[in-house]
Amino acid sequence: VIAQWRRSWADRVAMGGNPDVLFAMTGTGNVANGDYQKVISATSTVTGATLWTSPLKGAPTYTGGWIPSFVTAGRQYEGQPLAVSADDRRLYVLHWWTGEVEVLDTATGASLGTIVLPATTDLRNIVASPVSPLAFVTDWTNNSVYVINTETLALTSTLRIDGRCLETMDIDATGDLLSVVAACDNPRVLLIRASDGSTVAE
């Protein structure tokens, strides 16, 4: 039944400061036939028209059906793999399967390059600073948050977090404080400084 599921659906969405554009990660195709793929698209919230689409490079196609691929891969991506830059010019797409962040031009969908992260084990979420060209990525396995500069396309620092299984993350309006969910052991929300990872509150 699952293998014959609907032809397309949206997995994740993101919006920036421009309320007229919605970005979505969409699955299309029939999983059972092996033609399933993921696509990033920009849609006008005013007219409903699709502004552009871009295939998600290297994304798993789940050839052979959903269940076998799920077991083989060992996991599915979760969380928030899309974020929009503070100036609304760049869309960040988290490639959990390769440990990279791809940067797309929000106006055209063209790829501006990729940022390679140290870990490829289990990247979960990405959030963008509302005031600078920085973005933050949680690493579930290595108890870390990676700080990337999306203008220079480089990893700038790694914040080691006192908590395991880092999952959902958000950032405040000043770009100074990150709230990070440490989901394992004693589940808790950590409020940390984006500059150095020091814990402000728990």
PDB file of all heavy atoms in Angstrom, residues 155-169:
ATOM      1  N   LEU A 155      33.056  26.258   6.150  1.00  0.00           N
ATOM      2  CA  LEU A 155      32.793  25.958   7.552  1.00  0.00           C
ATOM      3  C   LEU A 155      33.662  26.884   8.381  1.00  0.00           C
ATOM      4  O   LEU A 155      34.878  26.926   8.202  1.00  0.00           O
ATOM      5  CB  LEU A 155      33.137  24.496   7.846  1.00  0.00           C
ATOM      6  CG  LEU A 155      33.096  24.052   9.303  1.00  0.00           C
ATOM      7  CD1 LEU A 155      31.664  24.018   9.814  1.00  0.00           C
ATOM      8  CD2 LEU A 155      33.754  22.690   9.461  1.00  0.00           C
ATOM      9  N   THR A 156      33.051  27.653   9.290  1.00  0.00           N
ATOM     10  CA  THR A 156      33.829  28.615  10.069  1.00  0.00           C
ATOM     11  C   THR A 156      34.193  28.092  11.448  1.00  0.00           C
ATOM     12  O   THR A 156      35.253  28.418  11.976  1.00  0.00           O
ATOM     13  CB  THR A 156      33.073  29.943  10.222  1.00  0.00           C
ATOM     14  OG1 THR A 156      31.865  29.723  10.955  1.00  0.00           O
ATOM     15  CG2 THR A 156      32.744  30.534   8.864  1.00  0.00           C
ATOM     16  N   SER A 157      33.326  27.287  12.059  1.00  0.00           N
ATOM     17  CA  SER A 157      33.642  26.745  13.376  1.00  0.00           C
ATOM     18  C   SER A 157      32.711  25.582  13.704  1.00  0.00           C
ATOM     19  O   SER A 157      31.707  25.360  13.023  1.00  0.00           O
ATOM     20  CB  SER A 157      33.524  27.829  14.456  1.00  0.00           C
ATOM     21  OG  SER A 157      32.194  28.301  14.544  1.00  0.00           O
ATOM     22  N   THR A 158      33.084  24.849  14.746  1.00  0.00           N
ATOM     23  CA  THR A 158      32.270  23.749  15.245  1.00  0.00           C
ATOM     24  C   THR A 158      31.987  23.999  16.721  1.00  0.00           C
ATOM     25  O   THR A 158      32.923  24.177  17.508  1.00  0.00           O
ATOM     26  CB  THR A 158      32.996  22.404  15.078  1.00  0.00           C
ATOM     27  OG1 THR A 158      33.238  22.176  13.685  1.00  0.00           O
ATOM     28  CG2 THR A 158      32.147  21.265  15.626  1.00  0.00           C
ATOM     29  N   LEU A 159      30.721  24.033  17.091  1.00  0.00           N
ATOM     30  CA  LEU A 159      30.328  24.233  18.480  1.00  0.00           C
ATOM     31  C   LEU A 159      30.055  22.869  19.099  1.00  0.00           C
ATOM     32  O   LEU A 159      29.182  22.136  18.632  1.00  0.00           O
ATOM     33  CB  LEU A 159      29.070  25.111  18.570  1.00  0.00           C
ATOM     34  CG  LEU A 159      29.088  26.432  17.795  1.00  0.00           C
ATOM     35  CD1 LEU A 159      27.753  27.158  17.979  1.00  0.00           C
ATOM     36  CD2 LEU A 159      30.250  27.306  18.218  1.00  0.00           C
ATOM     37  N   ARG A 160      30.816  22.497  20.120  1.00  0.00           N
ATOM     38  CA  ARG A 160      30.588  21.242  20.828  1.00  0.00           C
ATOM     39  C   ARG A 160      29.525  21.472  21.886  1.00  0.00           C
ATOM     40  O   ARG A 160      29.670  22.353  22.737  1.00  0.00           O
ATOM     41  CB  ARG A 160      31.872  20.748  21.487  1.00  0.00           C
ATOM     42  CG  ARG A 160      33.018  20.533  20.518  1.00  0.00           C
ATOM     43  CD  ARG A 160      32.735  19.416  19.533  1.00  0.00           C
ATOM     44  NE  ARG A 160      33.858  19.234  18.617  1.00  0.00           N
ATOM     45  CZ  ARG A 160      33.813  18.474  17.559  1.00  0.00           C
ATOM     46  NH1 ARG A 160      32.722  17.803  17.257  1.00  0.00           N
ATOM     47  NH2 ARG A 160      34.867  18.360  16.770  1.00  0.00           N
ATOM     48  N   ILE A 161      28.448  20.709  21.837  1.00  0.00           N
ATOM     49  CA  ILE A 161      27.301  20.923  22.703  1.00  0.00           C
ATOM     50  C   ILE A 161      27.246  19.851  23.791  1.00  0.00           C
ATOM     51  O   ILE A 161      27.464  18.663  23.519  1.00  0.00           O
ATOM     52  CB  ILE A 161      25.988  20.907  21.890  1.00  0.00           C
ATOM     53  CG1 ILE A 161      26.098  21.873  20.705  1.00  0.00           C
ATOM     54  CG2 ILE A 161      24.802  21.275  22.770  1.00  0.00           C
ATOM     55  CD1 ILE A 161      26.402  23.296  21.070  1.00  0.00           C
ATOM     56  N   ASP A 162      26.961  20.275  25.022  1.00  0.00           N
ATOM     57  CA  ASP A 162      26.849  19.352  26.143  1.00  0.00           C
ATOM     58  C   ASP A 162      25.460  18.710  26.131  1.00  0.00           C
ATOM     59  O   ASP A 162      24.585  19.037  26.929  1.00  0.00           O
ATOM     60  CB  ASP A 162      27.080  20.090  27.463  1.00  0.00           C
ATOM     61  CG  ASP A 162      27.030  19.142  28.654  1.00  0.00           C
ATOM     62  OD1 ASP A 162      27.199  17.922  28.448  1.00  0.00           O
ATOM     63  OD2 ASP A 162      26.806  19.628  29.776  1.00  0.00           O
ATOM     64  N   GLY A 163      25.265  17.800  25.198  1.00  0.00           N
ATOM     65  CA  GLY A 163      23.988  17.110  25.060  1.00  0.00           C
ATOM     66  C   GLY A 163      24.061  16.161  23.882  1.00  0.00           C
ATOM     67  O   GLY A 163      24.790  16.410  22.922  1.00  0.00           O
ATOM     68  N   ARG A 164      23.314  15.068  23.933  1.00  0.00           N
ATOM     69  CA  ARG A 164      23.354  14.071  22.880  1.00  0.00           C
ATOM     70  C   ARG A 164      22.113  14.130  22.001  1.00  0.00           C
ATOM     71  O   ARG A 164      21.064  14.586  22.411  1.00  0.00           O
ATOM     72  CB  ARG A 164      23.477  12.666  23.487  1.00  0.00           C
ATOM     73  CG  ARG A 164      24.806  12.416  24.192  1.00  0.00           C
ATOM     74  CD  ARG A 164      24.877  11.014  24.754  1.00  0.00           C
ATOM     75  NE  ARG A 164      24.714  10.017  23.702  1.00  0.00           N
ATOM     76  CZ  ARG A 164      23.782   9.064  23.733  1.00  0.00           C
ATOM     77  NH1 ARG A 164      22.923   8.986  24.728  1.00  0.00           N
ATOM     78  NH2 ARG A 164      23.712   8.196  22.739  1.00  0.00           N
ATOM     79  N   CYS A 165      22.272  13.630  20.772  1.00  0.00           N
ATOM     80  CA  CYS A 165      21.152  13.530  19.823  1.00  0.00           C
ATOM     81  C   CYS A 165      20.548  14.904  19.550  1.00  0.00           C
ATOM     82  O   CYS A 165      19.372  15.149  19.801  1.00  0.00           O
ATOM     83  CB  CYS A 165      20.086  12.566  20.335  1.00  0.00           C
ATOM     84  SG  CYS A 165      20.721  10.955  20.816  1.00  0.00           S
ATOM     85  N   LEU A 166      21.367  15.796  19.013  1.00  0.00           N
ATOM     86  CA  LEU A 166      20.910  17.153  18.734  1.00  0.00           C
ATOM     87  C   LEU A 166      19.950  17.133  17.555  1.00  0.00           C
ATOM     88  O   LEU A 166      20.286  16.682  16.462  1.00  0.00           O
ATOM     89  CB  LEU A 166      22.098  18.059  18.439  1.00  0.00           C
ATOM     90  CG  LEU A 166      23.168  18.114  19.532  1.00  0.00           C
ATOM     91  CD1 LEU A 166      24.243  19.108  19.160  1.00  0.00           C
ATOM     92  CD2 LEU A 166      22.566  18.447  20.892  1.00  0.00           C
ATOM     93  N   GLU A 167      18.773  17.646  17.766  1.00  0.00           N
ATOM     94  CA  GLU A 167      17.737  17.533  16.754  1.00  0.00           C
ATOM     95  C   GLU A 167      17.215  18.905  16.363  1.00  0.00           C
ATOM     96  O   GLU A 167      17.889  19.671  15.694  1.00  0.00           O
ATOM     97  CB  GLU A 167      16.618  16.622  17.257  1.00  0.00           C
ATOM     98  CG  GLU A 167      15.702  16.151  16.138  1.00  0.00           C
ATOM     99  CD  GLU A 167      14.869  14.956  16.566  1.00  0.00           C
ATOM    100  OE1 GLU A 167      15.446  13.907  16.877  1.00  0.00           O
ATOM    101  OE2 GLU A 167      13.646  15.089  16.563  1.00  0.00           O
ATOM    102  N   THR A 168      16.023  19.251  16.792  1.00  0.00           N
ATOM    103  CA  THR A 168      15.407  20.508  16.387  1.00  0.00           C
ATOM    104  C   THR A 168      16.200  21.699  16.926  1.00  0.00           C
ATOM    105  O   THR A 168      16.707  21.675  18.036  1.00  0.00           O
ATOM    106  CB  THR A 168      13.963  20.574  16.900  1.00  0.00           C
ATOM    107  OG1 THR A 168      13.274  19.407  16.452  1.00  0.00           O
ATOM    108  CG2 THR A 168      13.244  21.796  16.362  1.00  0.00           C
ATOM    109  N   MET A 169      16.272  22.747  16.109  1.00  0.00           N
ATOM    110  CA  MET A 169      17.036  23.934  16.482  1.00  0.00           C
ATOM    111  C   MET A 169      16.321  25.170  15.962  1.00  0.00           C
ATOM    112  O   MET A 169      15.652  25.140  14.936  1.00  0.00           O
ATOM    113  CB  MET A 169      18.439  23.825  15.870  1.00  0.00           C
ATOM    114  CG  MET A 169      19.336  25.033  16.078  1.00  0.00           C
ATOM    115  SD  MET A 169      21.013  24.759  15.421  1.00  0.00           S
ATOM    116  CE  MET A 169      20.684  24.170  13.760  1.00  0.00           C
TER     117      MET A 169
END
